Amino acid sequence: MVRRVRILALFMLALIVAPAASAHYVDLNEALHSENTLTVGIALTGQPFAHKRDGVLRGFEVEMAQAVAEAHGLALEVVRLPRAKLAAALAAGEVDVANTLAMEAEPAGIKTVPYLVVGDHLMVLRGNPFRIREAGDLSGRVTSVTSGSTGEQFAHALNREFEEAGRAPMHVHSFPNHRWTHFPVSMGHAQGYFIQTVSAVAVNADPNSRNRLVDGVFRPVREVGFAIRADNDKLHHAVEHAVAAMVATGKYRRLRESYGLPVELSPYR
């Protein structure tokens, strides 16, 4: 219900703001690090989110930032930062916004305008020979997880649901390291494994991978997007307005789809 209310508010905001935005730009310079420029701190999050190719930062997160800058007639400056320095650079005003997908936890003193929901996904052997199309198909099957991960929590939550429904639980095998978790599925000995969004999307997009993502079998963990200092209300509202307009016009959906990001990753459904 909270998400539905927020989405409705964003759509209404976009309808109100879009006509005004086409006529003139709001002067944001007092809210920006550099005049007429949106300075975005980005830590690499991997393909297709934020990655470096030919010496240039590219990806979905970079294009989202570009769209926000263009919506307000601003130039875009992308500053690549180590993950550990994102929050400090934002707090010091060295960047105007930062990507929270690269942050393990959101620091105090920020507001976030979301553009993705991330969590855990089910991966199966490419071609799906065991015909796993929904979570219920895993009852009584063999799956693998990384020990201590949210994917492991997802698997155990599904098993509780199976047991409460009187169905056979999965046989869940835990591995101490992420890089080993796919082996039982890749070798055909297990029917599925659970991993987080960034890895799942990268595997799914790799034509040489033996595995693929199962659409719709997803456990959301958190929303990620543009982090903005909580005391910078003017910039927060401007970024929120720009994203709302992207959602309302379909630009956000087209951008998400162009990067092969499944619909369950959208906060605006």
Side-chain angles (χ1 to χ4, degrees):
M1 177 60 75
V2 172
R3 182 176 293 175
R4 288 179 184 174
V5 170
R6 190 184 66 204
I7 294 169
L8 179 59
L10 278 172
F11 276 122
M12 293 302 294
L13 190 59
L15 291 173
I16 294 170
V17 172
S22 64
H24 67 279
Y25 295 116
V26 176
D27 185 1
L28 291 172
N29 279 320
E30 65 182 29
L32 298 173
H33 173 268
S34 299
E35 186 174 1
N36 298 325
T37 301
L38 181 67
T39 306
V40 181
I42 289 186
L44 299 185
T45 46
Q47 296 189 32
F49 302 98
H51 59 99
K52 196 170 185 179
R53 190 174 77 236
D54 301 328
V56 178
L57 282 175
R58 307 173 187 274
F60 173 81
E61 296 195 279
V62 177
E63 285 209 46
M64 283 294 299
Q66 182 67 56
V68 169
E70 289 176 355
H72 293 286
L74 301 172
L76 175 68
E77 180 179 2
V78 177
V79 179
R80 180 184 170 185
L81 293 167
R83 292 177 179 233
K85 294 187 177 181
L86 274 179
L90 185 62
E94 296 168 2
V95 297
D96 301 315
V97 302
N99 61 328
T100 65
L101 179 56
M103 301 178 184
E104 290 188 7
E106 291 184 8
I110 71 164
K111 293 180 179 178
T112 300
V113 177
Y115 48 65
L116 288 175
V117 179
V118 296
D120 294 284
H121 302 258
L122 171 66
M123 309 296 292
V124 297
L125 198 62
R126 193 170 291 275
N128 199 8
F130 297 104
R131 297 199 231 179
I132 307 298
R133 298 186 176 90
E134 58 184 31
D137 295 334
L138 292 170
S139 174
R141 301 298 189 101
V142 178
T143 57
S144 57
V145 298
T146 305
S147 180
S149 68
T150 53
E152 183 177 42
Q153 296 171 18
F154 187 14
H156 290 316
L158 284 175
N159 266 351
R160 287 192 294 271
E161 292 179 14
F162 291 149
E163 290 169 347
E164 289 170 2
R167 303 185 64 187
M170 296 178 291
H171 304 281
V172 180
H173 297 275
S174 295
F175 289 82
N177 193 290
H178 168 77
R179 67 178 179 269
W180 299 332
T181 305
H182 75 93
F183 282 149
V185 173
S186 296
M187 299 298 291
H189 301 314
Q191 285 72 57
Y193 69 100
F194 298 90
I195 58 171
Q196 294 179 337
T197 293
V198 171
S199 297
V201 170
V203 169
N204 198 58
D206 182 358
N208 297 315
S209 172
R210 291 177 59 84
N211 304 303
R212 72 165 180 84
L213 179 153
V214 177
D215 290 331
V217 184
F218 175 64
R219 180 177 183 261
V221 173
R222 66 187 180 111
E223 292 182 335
V224 297
F226 296 114
I228 304 156
R229 292 187 307 279
D231 61 358
N232 196 343
D233 285 336
K234 191 170 187 178
L235 182 58
H236 175 261
H237 292 150
V239 173
E240 191 173 52
H241 292 176
V243 173
M246 289 180 69
V247 173
T249 61
K251 183 175 182 177
Y252 169 82
R253 175 184 53 77
R254 292 190 295 272
L255 182 60
R256 176 182 54 75
E257 290 176 348
S258 74
Y259 279 96
L261 302 179
V263 66
E264 54 261 37
L265 300 189
S266 171
Y268 308 113
R269 289 189 289 150

